[in-house]
Amino acid sequence: MITTLNKMRGMTWLVRKSLRINLTVELRLLHISAVHLQKRYSGKHEWAELDKDNSVKIGISQYAADALGDVVYAALPEEGQEIIEDSECGALESVKAASEIYSPLPGIVLEKNERVEDKPALINTSPEGDGWLFRVKLEDLSLFEKLMTKEEYMKYLESQTDDLD
């Protein structure tokens, strides 16, 4: 009887420990998702993702990447270059067309994605992830807030009758 009771206590301890581990994992996952980056979109089909240090990654949307087709060349702005909102700051060329890159936000370029310049097809495989184009330092957060949320951008796409081709 005592050994059975000890086994049950041991199982209770294992269950408690297991629950504690699971709760810790769930809390960590919850903590990570709470720090999730904010992403906004422009009417010219660029996205901007705000990081906690007020730097912003800029890229083109999935819609723009699909419309461009297979990207074969990317010319990105240089580090230290000052970018003006809605001004041309680079170019993308695909087998279908060439397109200028417009920054939805002003700032100083902190970094360009050299992987994209080396392998432009990365834009097609992950336009809103690894295919980001450049990162800028944003001084005025209110400009970021003026861009469209994902939901607003999706509604914007539905309302457009023009094709990027």
Side-chain angles (χ1 to χ4, degrees):
M1 182 75 159
I2 292 177
T3 54
T4 305
L5 190 56
N6 284 337
K7 284 183 184 177
M8 288 177 63
R9 284 185 186 145
M11 287 176 43
T12 304
W13 179 82
L14 281 175
V15 169
R16 272 196 242 134
K17 185 169 177 101
S18 175
L19 285 173
R20 192 174 317 127
I21 290 170
N22 285 340
L23 285 174
T24 303
V25 169
E26 287 178 24
L27 285 174
R28 285 186 185 154
L29 290 175
L30 180 62
H31 176 71
I32 290 168
S33 65
V35 181
H36 184 66
L37 304 174
Q38 295 182 43
K39 189 178 276 186
R40 299 289 180 118
Y41 296 83
S42 75
K44 292 184 178 176
H45 308 289
E46 283 90 14
W47 56 263
E49 188 174 71
L50 181 65
D51 203 351
K52 59 187 168 202
D53 65 354
N54 288 352
S55 69
V56 180
K57 280 185 183 174
I58 308 288
I60 65 169
S61 69
Q62 181 71 52
Y63 177 81
D66 291 344
L68 268 175
D70 295 333
V71 179
V72 295
Y73 176 76
L76 304 178
E78 295 296 324
E79 185 177 328
Q81 181 178 340
E82 185 174 354
I83 303 291
I84 299 170
E85 183 179 5
D86 290 329
S87 67
E88 182 182 331
C89 60
L92 299 175
E93 292 181 16
S94 72
V95 294
K96 288 169 60 175
S99 178
E100 291 78 24
I101 299 170
Y102 296 93
S103 179
L105 298 167
I108 303 294
V109 176
L110 298 173
E111 165 185 29
K112 66 179 179 176
N113 190 347
E114 293 179 2
R115 290 179 49 210
V116 164
E117 283 190 325
D118 294 339
K119 293 188 176 187
L122 189 56
I123 293 170
N124 298 106
T125 57
S126 183
E128 295 195 32
D130 293 335
W132 61 274
L133 304 177
F134 57 95
R135 194 166 56 92
V136 298
K137 180 69 175 172
L138 183 62
E139 297 297 329
D140 185 357
L141 288 178
S142 68
L143 296 172
F144 178 81
E145 296 297 324
K146 291 179 182 177
L147 296 173
M148 292 180 267
T149 63
K150 179 78 170 184
E151 295 77 23
E152 292 168 335
Y153 180 66
M154 297 309 285
K155 287 179 185 174
Y156 172 77
L157 288 179
E158 290 173 10
S159 71
Q160 297 299 301
T161 57
D162 297 336
D163 194 355
L164 288 180
D165 293 320

